[in-house]
């Protein structure tokens, strides 16, 4: 009796471990920030936790920091901030971004730097993303929109190095007046 009880306990423990591993594997992912395009909020070499199921229940929102497959080369993943969602009109000049005619006051931007007088209309099923380090960001201003099918998930926190552990701010007040 005791041997069968022990064997059952071992099988249950292994099964539970496998189930937990599979759930975590499909729900979250680690992502290493590469480059300076998201400074000052994210630094080169930091690790962020990505919620891969965040967008199963709702669409990305303006201000979300997302990890996605780079549309030009889907073998690479990028991390950027969502500025425009489907239907939005994004307009930029050298130092300002407007979404649907609303000027954004972006406290997360390291330095304003845009192309002069550009406008984009975000098509259905796509997102317009920009890095917070505008002078040094390869983003939608250069290569266009991110298709929803290329989204990996929402970056939610920096966990390494541990001394900079923090939840990522989506700055909802920046986009509050955009309808």
């Amino acid at each position: 009796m005791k041997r069968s009880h022990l064997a059952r306990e071992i099988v249950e423990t292994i099964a539970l471990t496998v189930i937990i591993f599979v759930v975590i594997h499909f729900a979250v992912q680690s992502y290493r920030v590469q480059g300076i395009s998201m400074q000052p909020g994210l630094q080169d070499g930091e690790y962020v936790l990505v919620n891969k199921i965040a967008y199963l229940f709702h669409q990305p929102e303006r201000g979300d920091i997302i990890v996605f497959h780079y549309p030009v080369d889907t073998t690479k993943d990028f991390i950027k901030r969502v500025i425009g969602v489907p239907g939005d009109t994004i307009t930029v000049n050298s130092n300002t971004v407007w979404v649907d005619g609303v000027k954004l006051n972006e406290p997360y931007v390291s330095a304003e730097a845009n192309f002069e007088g550009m406008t984009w209309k975000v098509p259905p099923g796509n997102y317009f993303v920009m890095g917070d380090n505008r002078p040094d960001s390869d983003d939608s201003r250069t290569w266009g929109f991110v298709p929803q099918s290329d989204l990996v998930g929402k970056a939610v926190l920096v966990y390494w190095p541990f001394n900079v552990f923090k939840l990522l701010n989506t700055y909802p007040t920046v986009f509050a007046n955009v309808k």
Side-chain angles (χ1 to χ4, degrees):
M1 279 294 208
K2 289 192 181 230
R3 279 195 148 188
S4 66
H5 181 69
L6 177 62
R8 189 186 87 219
E9 291 283 328
I10 290 172
V11 169
E12 286 176 354
T13 301
I14 291 171
L16 185 58
T17 302
V18 168
I19 290 169
I20 291 170
F21 173 79
V22 168
V23 167
I24 289 174
H25 177 74
F26 287 107
V28 295
Q29 174 180 323
S30 174
Y31 176 80
R32 182 177 182 268
V33 176
Q34 297 177 0
I36 60 171
S37 74
M38 286 300 290
Q39 288 180 350
L42 294 173
Q43 305 298 316
D44 184 40
E46 289 180 341
Y47 283 84
V48 297
L49 189 66
V50 179
N51 179 348
K52 292 169 45 175
I53 60 173
Y55 300 129
L56 291 179
F57 307 108
H58 66 86
Q59 302 303 310
E61 298 174 0
R62 296 177 203 95
D64 285 0
I65 298 174
I66 61 170
V67 173
F68 56 93
H69 305 305
Y70 177 40
V72 176
D73 178 359
T74 56
T75 64
K76 298 177 182 175
D77 288 344
F78 277 17
I79 186 167
K80 306 288 180 197
R81 187 177 301 276
V82 174
I83 301 298
V85 298
D88 285 350
T89 299
I90 312 300
T91 304
V92 300
N93 69 11
S94 61
N95 60 5
T96 307
V97 176
W98 288 269
V99 177
D100 290 343
V102 176
K103 181 180 176 182
L104 301 183
N105 175 17
E106 301 176 287
Y108 45 81
V109 172
S110 66
E112 291 89 0
N114 296 308
F115 307 117
E116 192 65 41
M118 300 287 293
T119 298
W120 300 266
K121 176 80 171 176
V122 184
N126 286 269
Y127 297 90
F128 189 90
V129 299
M130 295 171 76
D132 292 352
N133 186 3
R134 300 287 162 78
D136 290 306
S137 179
D138 183 20
D139 53 37
S140 289
R141 296 171 296 171
T142 305
W143 40 256
F145 306 105
V146 176
Q148 183 161 352
S149 59
D150 287 346
L151 298 181
V152 174
K154 179 178 180 177
V156 292
L157 62 88
V158 175
Y159 69 89
W160 192 261
F162 191 70
N163 64 323
V164 294
F165 182 92
K166 64 182 171 187
L167 291 174
L168 295 176
N169 192 342
T170 61
Y171 294 92
T173 57
V174 169
F175 301 93
N177 293 327
V178 180
K179 301 298 174 213

